[in-house]
Amino acid sequence: MVEYTYLVLRLPRGTTRDTARQVMTEHAEHGGWELDRLRLYPDGSRRIQLRRKIIRQVRTF
């Protein structure tokens, strides 16, 4: 079973699409995050949910 850890980002209204893309790109390239869901609210603010796999080490003898 794959387990994920989540990171929620909230961007205020007035944030451009390019700025939102840059923020998500930085998290993806340097933190290993991937986009899980993005919600654009009527007032223009964005809620971005990112996820990445939890890799557990299995002890071998």
Side-chain angles (χ1 to χ4, degrees):
M1 190 75 182
V2 179
E3 294 182 43
Y4 292 98
T5 182
Y6 294 92
L7 173 68
V8 176
L9 303 173
R10 288 189 171 83
L11 299 178
R13 72 177 196 201
T15 303
T16 64
R17 181 179 280 179
D18 284 338
T19 303
R21 181 187 51 81
Q22 288 174 348
V23 168
M24 290 187 291
T25 301
E26 289 294 320
H27 279 86
E29 288 181 355
H30 300 293
W33 295 96
E34 62 185 28
L35 181 64
D36 185 42
R37 61 184 60 154
L38 185 141
R39 172 120 192 231
L40 179 61
Y41 291 99
D43 69 349
S45 62
R46 290 177 170 86
R47 180 180 179 269
I48 302 168
Q49 186 171 335
L50 304 172
R51 71 178 185 180
R52 69 177 168 191
K53 288 183 183 177
I54 297 174
I55 299 174
R56 303 217 186 264
Q57 292 182 341
V58 178
R59 182 179 234 176
T60 58
F61 294 98

